[in-house]
Amino acid sequence: MGDNDSSSSSSCFPKYLKHLSGDGKAIGVLTSGGDAQGMNAAVRAVVRMGIYTGAKVYLIYEGYQGMVDGGSNIVEAKWDCVSSILQVGGTIIGSARCKAFRSREGRLKAACNLARLGITNLCVIGGDGSLTGANLFRKEWTGLLEELVQNGEIDKDTLQKHSYLNVVGMVGSIDNDFCGTDMTIGTDSALHRIIEVVDAIMTTAQSHQRTFVLEVMGRHCGYLALASALACGADWVFLPESPPEEGWEEDMCLKLSENRAQKKRLNIIIVSEGAIDTQNKPITSDKIKELVVKHLGFDTRVTILGHVQRGGTPSAFDRILASRMGVEAVIALLEATPETPACVVSLNGNQAVRLPLMECVQMTQDVQKAMDEGRFKEAVKLRGRSFEGNLNTYKRLAIKLPDDKIVKSNCNIAIINVGAPAAGMNAAVRSAVRVGIADGHKMFAIYDGFDGFANGQIKEISWGDVGGWTGQGGSILGTKRTLPGKYLKKIAEQMHFHSINALLIIGGFEAYLGLLELAAAREKHEEFCVPMVMVPATVSNNVPGSDFSIGADTALNTITDTCDRIKQSASGTKRRVFIIETMGGYCGYLANMGGLAAGADAAYIFEEPFDIRDLQSNVVHLTEKMKSSIQRGLVLRNENCSVNYTTDFIYQLYSEEGKGVFDCRKNVLGHMQQGGAPSPFDRNFGTKISAKAMAWISAKLKGSMGTGKKFVSDDSICVLGICKRDLLFQPLAELKDKTDFEHRIPKEQWWLKLRPIMKILAKYEASYDMSDSGKLEPLQHHHQEELSAI
């Protein structure tokens, strides 16, 4: 359902994609190497975007093996044949390791099979090995065809018509081991599997005071181990890129026993399957268990996660990533010329980019070479700023220096949660508290928002107090929507009484408004003349100054999971349309992105006004769809998208207009979108952005040490957020003009550019803005800013 299959032929689609037509072109899509969740979403996007532009799209089954064998392994795709695959893990077109393709003879057979069908555009979804193979094939293509002409297997006309091959890659790999891309397809889903297991293990470990050693995948890359250790606050982590220093055995045992002495009832150690020591000798999970039992006598268990990490349904992030990359891959193929080198479409920050395929492959291989030669610091650097940033953040949060080694700053910093609860808030508080303590500050927690601030609900909070907070949903400090305006005097008194030198606010639009009120009161109350920074945390994702906010990813996964279940219920009844209402205030982020991730037929949002004619055309679209093989529909509606076209109104309209063709059901998701354990994305995003905010506060305070300086300039009161590719501190004063205060949303929202993707994949006419579509970029060996999608 929601995978949209009306019977009208695709050729009647208007070609809004200027200068881009697939007429007369043929695209082949294959998945190769190890499978990864989200590959199906990528295949679906390539097929539908290709058909939309007028190209023929062929599914190549069983990877390169299918290309070599030909015949029934290469099949023209129809719109309907990729329905209902968005939520399926693995790859429906199969993947296989192929020896034959490694020989020229095998590639000759493959070239013959493709040339006969006129396929000169290849989209390969796989790891670095698969992509290297595709590039070699591209280089040899003309020579292979000339040989086929000599052998009499194809004629000269075919050679002239199909004289060059274009190749675009998408990286599908749960290990996130490909340089040049922040996140590969499948990584986020694999993290979901790991964190589900860790959360479950933590409850049993707590009951028995056990130590658990968890082995995760990653033969040559420690990303999964590192990101999951960061997300669950593990006591120790072993990675191939960063082996522990000599004498690590004593250090680890000391750390574990210290934690137990502080009344921590469990220990979690995460081991990457490729973990090694500085001599390149393997460190196995069994070896670690023996060590803990021998030295400490702790009850210790080993859990090897294995292929669980590859399985299951793809996360919302992976579905959206794969859909965006699939669309971008088709555009890249259709724009390519004989001179265009093979490229890989990838994610850089929040931007889709195209990078030279072989440069990325080379850099990926350089990491392995550096590790083999014992140049581990270089290996970490080559992995990219995001990996290095994760590692540094993990070390700062996991290991506390003894008090006498921490240089005291004599500064007091307060942390407050404001607005509605959002999953990931607690991870952000934990990170801020620990980074603050490591920087020598005294950290204070303010309970129950600005209400609690005014009433003096302020307590010093220690390193141990925030242990185990990363996986907790909601807000442990308590949060309220109350604004500080009516309590300014009382809040100023509390700041004076506790000598607060800086304030970190974690929250949504109310936090933003509250910060504006505090900024305006600086003239009257000098206590507010301190550095203040806001970290956005709201499921609505409506804070100006940031493309993402903590909590939105968890809410999006809740919506996507619910839609999957509803789709399943509808598949039995047939001819049923579901109308689902999502949260978000006036911000359509959840409805729009939920629609993209769940494969909806339509998503009604406030930012794109609609009228009765639009509703009517959606009904016609669904009526057509019911004539096809997929007899179900899914429509999302943002709670405030229209005053009069309410969920009930749309439900009644659809019920009336669809009489005799389909029946309707409605579902209001409500507060379940604010609850639940935070997703790995929200845990790590909260952890890293909060650590960054504390570093900014420390730098500001350090610069004014002993001067008694009052902070009154605009740049001392900021919002920290992701903007395209960068993590930026934006002065509040500059964000005012970019805010629609009446509707509590930013005036410009990046995700609206993704709206046409949802419509195109749902078989609607849509104009896709290609101004952001990448030209091939040089590979940046080091970003300016530590940032990644996770």
Side-chain angles (χ1 to χ4, degrees), residues 89 366 414 459 495 587 611:
D366 287 348
K459 279 189 197 146
M495 285 189 74
C587 178
D611 58 23

Side-chain angles (χ1 to χ4, degrees), residues 1 84 564-576 578 631-632:
M1 160 172 81
S84 306
D564 286 351
R565 290 178 186 201
I566 286 169
K567 271 163 112 163
Q568 213 167 21
S569 94
S571 65
T573 26
K574 302 270 192 275
R575 295 176 180 267
R576 180 162 283 177
F578 274 89
Q631 299 177 352
R632 50 185 194 243

Side-chain angles (χ1 to χ4, degrees), residues 192 195 199 231 417-429 469-476 479 506-508 535-541 548-558 583 590 671-687 689:
H192 272 259
I195 293 305
D199 285 354
N417 286 350
V418 178
M425 275 182 163
N426 298 321
V429 172
W469 278 29
T470 47
Q472 305 281 328
S475 162
I476 296 171
T479 180
I506 299 165
V535 166
T538 164
V539 298
S540 305
N541 197 27
F548 292 108
S549 54
I550 300 164
D553 183 70
T554 304
L556 205 49
N557 276 294
T558 303
M583 277 184 160
L590 289 179
H671 281 74
M672 64 188 284
Q673 293 162 86
Q674 283 180 0
S679 66
F681 181 103
D682 280 331
R683 294 180 195 201
N684 286 351
F685 180 46
T687 297
I689 196 169

Side-chain angles (χ1 to χ4, degrees), residues 51-65:
I51 291 173
Y52 181 86
T53 60
K56 276 187 172 181
V57 184
Y58 289 86
L59 296 175
I60 301 170
Y61 287 86
E62 311 307 336
Y64 287 117
Q65 192 63 55

Side-chain angles (χ1 to χ4, degrees), residues 159-171:
L159 169 61
Q160 278 173 339
K161 260 192 359 235
H162 310 306
S163 60
Y164 67 94
L165 178 73
N166 293 320
V167 170
V168 171
M170 276 186 270
V171 191

Side-chain angles (χ1 to χ4, degrees), residues 21 122 196 267 383 398 488 560 628 637 737-738 776 785:
S21 168
L122 208 53
E196 282 160 16
N267 303 109
R383 276 270 179 249
L488 289 170
T560 307
S628 78
R637 178 189 175 274
D737 296 338
K738 299 177 181 176
L776 198 65
E785 196 58 78

Side-chain angles (χ1 to χ4, degrees), residues 175 259 412 434 451 458 504 590 620 633 652 703 713 730 742:
D175 292 344
N259 279 355
N412 295 345
R434 292 196 168 178
D451 267 1
I458 304 169
L504 171 63
L590 289 179
V620 170
Q652 285 163 351
S713 60
Q730 296 184 72
E742 185 191 346

